[in-house]
């Protein structure tokens, strides 16, 4: 029994991991683009981005996921995600990427605006080019500011992957839950918790390492 | 010939005129102090010289070369902006050191980046970088920071940070070094070490413009003084003359506060 549970949970973990990785892959650059939009000189663009962020942060991720998975099928008459497991995962990644991009955009914006203008000006009077100022002066300071709030969001993302169960994607929590349902046993639920703890534990170590590496300056 | 000629500079932010018809000359190797009450436009003037602000009117001429002329087309003004900037150095009130670099790296960074543009950089990379390194070290030694070269800014006192910032500005050998209230952000007991360094530079005839609220320092170190009020130069002249025997009533009133 233990091995079959482990096997199932590993399957679920893999799905959760896919959602996690692909969401990061898409939401990080998208978040950066949104943060530029939010700081744009163009008022309309700024307004659009702010409205999007307000809507996405103001509604539950689960609701967004349901709308994105079922919406197209009901509006267009055919399901663009196809009913397979990979379709469910894709829909989840899309919903999550939009959601997390909005959260990341706020963090990035804080990081970018948090670097004092004096840093850029000091670079300018020293004859540096715009790109030299960005890469040699401001970038690392932004990263340093952004890492702690990012680590919070990334750890939340690990646990949010369990929301994919609502559209029947076979992720980690679903895997643990199905044993309780089918065999009436509860220990797989705790075992599932251990999987999350290890996942989050590794990320925590990673972020601690990054923070320590950036600790040499203030 | 004057090293710097500033002619009829005007600058406004929105509807507030911050600089009005500001003109002055500087001789090579002289020190000029700019004094005046808060909001009189001193910082804005230095920022115009360093091209951090674009004046609305007037011109800036260094060693006979017109670096800025508001009458010329924008395109031409922006051309070679980086090269034009290098005629001036700037020491900020709040230091603005780069926190992720050591004192020495702060001093050598811009020089190293500029060296990359030299045609012979690839060939003589090692020698060039070594030269920059030892130049940076010499500057920090001159600032009395021989023991602090590998320290990061946050490991240094304010006075030490400001001296690193001075070395950083000197590294590019500007024609004119500008100081914007270099001691205003410092604890009183730390101002002395920074003023001493600036005094040393004046003794070596470094061409400098110093915005300061330290009247006795301005009197002793500067050759000339400009007193500004509400964006205009009210009085300018020999440093001792202006401080000890001001001609204008507004200057006199300002000086009674010190
Ligand atoms: N970027 C800006 N936008 C709008 N107004 C500005 C800006 N920078 C400066 N000012 C205004 O210009 C005036 C002159 O400012 P400036 O900083 O040059 O004065 P200052 O002589 O350096 O004063 P202080 O002794 O307080 O440093 C002030 O009234 C200030 O509010
Ligand atoms: Mg000022």
């Amino acid at each position: 029994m233990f091995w079959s549970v482990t096997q199932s949970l590993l399957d679920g973990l893999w799905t959760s991991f896919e959602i996690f990785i692909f969401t990061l892959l898409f939401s990080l650059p998208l978040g950066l683009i949104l943060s530029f939009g939010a700081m744009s000189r163009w008022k309309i663009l700024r307004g659009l981005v702010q409205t999007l962020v307000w809507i996405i942060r103001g509604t539950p991720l689960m609701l967004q996921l349901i709308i994105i998975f079922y919406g197209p099928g009901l509006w267009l008459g055919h399901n663009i995600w196809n009913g397979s497991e990979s379709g469910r995962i894709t829909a989840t990644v899309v919903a999550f990427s939009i959601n997390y991009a909005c959260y990341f955009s706020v963090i990035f914006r804080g990081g970018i605006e948090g670097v004092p203008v004096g840093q850029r000006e000091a670079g300018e009077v020293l004859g540096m080019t715009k790109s030299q100022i960005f890469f040699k002066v401001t970038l690392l300071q932004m990263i340093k500011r952004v890492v702690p709030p990012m680590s919070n969001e990334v750890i939340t993302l690990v646990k949010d992957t369990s929301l994919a169960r609502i559209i029947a994607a076979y992720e980690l929590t679903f895997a643990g839950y199905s044993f309780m349902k089918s065999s009436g046993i509860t220990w797989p639920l705790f075992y599932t918790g251990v999987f999350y703890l290890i996942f989050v534990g590794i990320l925590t170590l990673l972020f601690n390492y990054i923070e320590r590496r950036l600790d040499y300056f203030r | 010939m004057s090293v710097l000629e500033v002619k009829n500079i005007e600058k406004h932010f929105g509807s507030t005129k911050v600089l009005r018809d500001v003109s002055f000359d500087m001789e090579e190797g002289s020190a000029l102090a700019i004094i005046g009450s808060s909001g009189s436009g001193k910082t804005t003037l230095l920022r115009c010289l360093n091209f951090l602000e674009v004046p609305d009117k007037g011109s800036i001429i260094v060693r006979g070369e017109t670096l800025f002329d508001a009458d010329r087309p924008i395109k031409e003004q922006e051309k070679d902006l980086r090269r034009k900037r290098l005629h001036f150095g700037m020491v900020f009130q709040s230091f603005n050191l780069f926190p992720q670099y050591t004192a020495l790296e702060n001093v050598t960074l811009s020089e190293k980046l500029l060296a990359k543009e030299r045609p012979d950089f690839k060939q003589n990379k090692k020698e060039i970088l070594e030269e920059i390194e030892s130049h940076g070290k010499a500057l920090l030694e001159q600032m009395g920071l021989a023991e602090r070269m590998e320290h990061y800014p946050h490991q240094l006192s304010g006075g030490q940070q400001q001296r690193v910032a001075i070395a950083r500005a000197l590294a590019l050998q500007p024609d004119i070094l500008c100081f914007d209230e270099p001691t205003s952000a410092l604890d009183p007991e730390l101002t002395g070490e920074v003023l001493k360094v600036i005094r040393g530079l004046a003794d070596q005839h470094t061409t400098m413009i110093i915005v300061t609220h330290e009247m006795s320092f301005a009197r002793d170190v500067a050759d000339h003084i400009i007193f500004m009020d509400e964006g205009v130069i009210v009085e300018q002249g020999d440093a001792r003359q202006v401080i000890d025997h001001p001609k204008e009533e507004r200057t006199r009133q300002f000086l009674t506060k010190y």
Side-chain angles (χ1 to χ4, degrees):
Chain A
M1 189 67 188
F2 182 74
W3 286 119
S4 70
V5 171
T6 305
Q7 193 58 52
S8 297
L9 291 185
L10 281 174
D11 281 349
L13 177 66
W14 178 245
T15 301
S16 295
F17 186 70
E18 278 182 313
I19 295 169
F20 173 80
I21 281 294
F22 284 111
T23 297
L24 279 187
L25 207 64
F26 295 119
S27 61
L28 287 171
L30 190 59
L32 196 61
I33 292 168
L34 284 179
S35 75
F36 290 145
M39 292 182 290
S40 160
R41 254 177 292 179
W42 206 33
K43 239 183 176 164
I44 300 173
L45 184 60
R46 238 171 33 222
L48 278 173
V49 172
Q50 275 161 6
T51 311
L52 176 73
V53 170
W54 173 61
I55 292 170
I56 296 294
R57 293 205 305 175
T59 56
L61 176 53
M62 193 191 277
L63 183 65
Q64 294 161 21
L65 180 57
I66 293 170
I67 290 173
I68 283 189
F69 185 66
Y70 294 107
L74 296 172
W75 300 322
L76 305 172
H78 69 100
N79 190 351
I80 57 168
W81 306 114
N82 77 51
S84 72
E85 183 69 11
S86 70
R88 293 169 198 282
I89 294 173
T90 312
T92 308
V93 168
V94 170
F96 278 33
S97 295
I98 295 169
N99 184 279
Y100 272 83
C102 286
Y103 281 94
F104 289 158
S105 78
V106 176
I107 293 175
F108 289 155
R109 186 177 159 192
I112 292 169
E113 289 180 341
V115 178
V117 275
Q119 292 290 306
R120 198 194 65 228
E121 292 181 347
E124 282 178 4
V125 296
L126 289 166
M128 293 185 199
T129 64
K130 279 211 164 76
S131 79
Q132 284 171 341
I133 292 170
F134 180 75
F135 287 108
K136 299 282 179 185
V137 176
T138 43
L139 182 61
L140 198 61
Q141 297 182 49
M142 281 179 215
I143 292 174
K144 187 180 168 78
R145 271 158 221 273
V146 152
V147 167
M150 284 297 280
S151 76
N152 274 331
E153 289 302 325
V154 170
I155 284 167
T156 305
L157 173 59
V158 172
K159 292 167 290 173
D160 274 353
T161 57
S162 65
L163 293 174
R165 194 179 84 81
I166 202 69
I167 59 165
Y170 193 77
E171 47 66 53
L172 185 52
T173 297
F174 197 177
Y177 171 79
S178 59
F179 280 100
M180 190 195 75
K181 230 179 142 200
S182 60
S183 322
I185 48 174
T186 52
W187 65 263
L189 291 178
F190 293 97
Y191 194 18
T192 303
V194 172
F195 275 69
Y196 282 111
L197 286 174
I198 293 172
F199 197 162
V200 169
I202 292 169
L203 286 174
T204 306
L205 289 177
L206 184 71
F207 277 111
N208 284 348
Y209 173 75
I210 296 172
E211 279 183 44
R212 241 182 303 118
R213 284 298 304 269
L214 292 171
D215 224 19
Y216 69 93
F217 73 91
R218 297 228 174 97
Chain B
M1 192 176 69
S2 307
V3 63
L4 172 65
E5 294 164 71
V6 172
K7 289 184 180 164
N8 315 102
I9 291 286
E10 301 216 0
K11 176 74 191 170
H12 52 76
F13 294 110
S15 59
T16 44
K17 279 220 164 148
V18 175
L19 295 176
R20 278 180 283 187
D21 200 21
V22 169
S23 303
F24 63 92
D25 284 6
M26 271 186 87
E27 291 303 318
E28 181 94 58
S30 68
L32 168 71
I34 301 179
I35 59 174
S37 50
S38 186
S40 55
K42 307 179 298 292
T43 297
T44 307
L45 178 57
L46 287 192
R47 289 172 63 83
C48 285
L49 294 178
N50 283 277
F51 303 99
L52 291 172
E53 306 285 358
V54 184
D56 301 307
K57 283 191 190 147
S59 55
I60 298 167
I61 299 152
V62 172
R63 294 188 200 286
E65 182 194 355
T66 303
L67 298 187
F68 177 86
D69 186 345
D71 292 336
R72 292 187 188 170
I74 285 275
K75 266 264 159 54
E76 196 176 326
Q77 291 169 20
E78 283 175 354
K79 203 176 130 220
D80 287 340
L81 185 62
R82 279 176 59 226
R83 188 187 58 76
K84 290 175 184 168
R85 275 202 166 110
L86 294 179
H87 289 284
F88 293 90
M90 180 78 162
V91 174
F92 299 89
Q93 191 172 346
S94 51
F95 329 137
N96 297 353
L97 290 180
F98 306 132
Q100 71 267 45
Y101 295 118
T102 63
L104 183 58
E105 286 166 344
N106 262 280
V107 175
T108 56
L109 177 65
S110 57
E111 225 183 325
K112 284 179 178 168
L113 292 173
L114 281 171
K116 281 186 188 167
E117 292 168 29
R118 278 166 58 166
D120 62 337
F121 182 72
K122 279 224 169 76
Q123 270 175 325
N124 309 326
K125 191 171 173 178
K126 201 158 163 264
E127 292 79 19
I128 291 174
L129 290 180
E130 273 171 11
E131 203 177 297
I132 292 172
E133 198 86 1
S134 64
H135 180 216
K137 283 180 183 165
L139 282 169
L140 284 171
E141 273 163 26
Q142 190 190 339
M143 297 294 125
L145 293 167
E147 311 296 316
R148 297 282 184 277
M149 296 194 191
E150 303 305 326
H151 285 56
Y152 288 93
H154 78 269
Q155 299 167 321
L156 300 170
S157 72
Q160 290 167 338
Q161 289 187 50
Q162 191 61 300
R163 284 183 283 151
V164 174
I166 295 171
R168 180 175 72 172
L170 283 169
L172 296 177
Q173 294 164 308
D175 292 318
I176 300 135
L177 184 54
C178 304
F179 295 84
D180 189 11
E181 301 192 32
T183 57
S184 289
L186 299 177
D187 293 336
E189 70 268 24
L190 298 178
T191 58
E193 62 189 60
V194 172
L195 295 181
K196 197 174 131 208
V197 161
I198 300 173
R199 202 180 290 259
L201 293 174
D203 292 341
Q204 294 172 27
H205 301 290
T206 310
T207 313
M208 296 187 289
I209 303 177
I210 310 159
V211 170
T212 183
H213 286 294
E214 307 269 344
M215 291 309 143
S216 60
F217 174 75
R219 181 185 176 279
D220 293 347
V221 171
D223 302 293
H224 284 82
I225 285 186
I226 285 178
F227 168 66
M228 288 181 67
D229 193 27
E230 295 184 347
V232 280
I233 296 181
V234 174
E235 181 166 354
Q236 57 179 316
D238 176 77
R240 278 152 208 255
Q241 192 73 36
V242 173
I243 298 279
D244 298 339
H245 310 287
K247 287 198 192 79
E248 300 292 327
E249 179 55 30
R250 272 198 278 178
T251 319
R252 216 167 295 151
Q253 268 182 6
F254 171 76
L255 287 171
T256 55
K257 282 182 245 157
Y258 289 90

